[in-house]
Amino acid sequence: LKRTKLDTLQLAFKILSSGPVWAIVVVQSFSSFTAFILDDGLPSYMRDVAGLSLTQAGILSSLPALIKTMLTLAAAWAADRLRHPSRGKRLDDRTGCVRKLFTGAAILPQAALLGVISASADLATETYQAVVLAMLVVIDGLGGLRYGGGASVNHLDIAPIHAGVIQGLKNTVAQLAGYMAPILLGWLTPYPGGLSREEYEDQNQGQPPPEEWVNAMRS
């Protein structure tokens, strides 16, 4: 059917005045902000605190993306099975529960593991650093549960015909939140003395920075 300009304006107004739409936008904005903090901060942590080379940090930093991909596909399959338990029959009353289940399965372990890391007192041993790196990789990768079966696909549930428009809206707003993440990260983790690890090593014939520098970055 031919859509008039008035119809388009009415549709836009309904989308922009929809509570569920803005709930999705808010969730996506906070999720993107957290994801940017982890994605930007993890390589820096590996390099500056754990003392890994750029090659080692790059390889380890790719692991969360691999975990996310696998969990996204697995979560999408599992969520559809839970929503369509028998012969493709759709049970709409299950959808909200399934979305909450997968969103909670992503963010609650992430919050718990981050709490364990931040509450731990002894951060200096090499063994503990390895554990921290492993937990950070898992924390970042767990986002795949939300992407495949949780809140990130909720726009397909509330408005499948207009899901593309809502996706564009939520991603636009979420990216604005995401741009703030590296700015905040840089403000919270300034280099001691204004020198990064690479700059310090360049100025000191390849010598690693002192333990005081590392402890300051770790803190």
Side-chain angles (χ1 to χ4, degrees):
L1 297 177
K2 186 177 181 180
R3 180 180 294 171
T4 65
K5 290 183 178 180
L6 180 60
D7 292 333
T8 302
L9 290 174
Q10 289 176 335
L11 174 61
F13 176 78
K14 287 182 179 180
I15 291 176
L16 293 175
S17 61
S18 169
V21 167
W22 283 107
I24 292 172
V25 170
V26 170
V27 170
Q28 185 66 26
S29 297
F30 279 103
S31 298
S32 294
F33 182 80
T34 306
F36 272 93
I37 287 287
L38 289 170
D39 290 341
D40 293 344
L42 185 55
S44 299
Y45 184 90
M46 292 176 177
R47 182 188 66 238
D48 295 326
V49 177
L52 301 181
S53 67
L54 290 177
T55 300
Q56 292 171 320
I59 293 173
L60 283 177
S61 296
S62 67
L63 290 180
L66 179 61
I67 296 173
K68 281 181 187 177
T69 301
M70 293 189 295
L71 287 181
T72 296
L73 295 173
W77 179 87
D80 283 346
R81 299 288 78 75
L82 290 173
R83 294 173 60 234
H84 307 255
S86 61
R87 296 185 181 181
K89 183 180 179 181
R90 180 166 181 165
L91 299 178
D92 288 315
D93 58 327
R94 289 175 178 257
T95 298
C97 294
V98 170
R99 298 299 179 227
K100 293 171 186 175
L101 172 65
F102 280 90
T103 300
I107 64 175
L108 293 179
Q110 287 177 322
L113 289 174
L114 285 171
V116 169
I117 293 173
S118 64
S120 300
D122 184 11
L123 302 176
T125 65
E126 291 184 5
T127 300
Y128 185 80
Q129 282 299 308
V131 173
V132 168
L133 288 176
M135 286 195 289
L136 287 172
V137 168
V138 171
I139 288 168
D140 203 3
L142 280 172
L145 293 175
R146 179 176 54 81
Y147 297 148
S152 292
V153 293
N154 208 193
H155 56 289
L156 293 168
D157 303 321
I158 68 169
I161 296 177
H162 306 295
V165 176
I166 299 174
Q167 172 81 352
L169 172 64
K170 75 171 187 175
N171 276 351
T172 298
V173 178
Q175 289 303 311
L176 295 176
Y179 290 143
M180 297 169 58
I183 298 174
L184 178 62
L185 193 62
W187 179 69
L188 290 173
T189 57
Y191 287 121
L195 294 177
S196 68
R197 177 180 281 267
E198 288 82 0
E199 291 170 336
Y200 185 94
E201 291 175 351
D202 288 342
Q203 293 186 15
N204 293 272
Q205 292 76 46
Q207 292 295 319
E211 192 63 26
E212 293 79 9
W213 188 97
V214 178
N215 286 336
M217 284 304 299
R218 184 181 291 120
S219 176

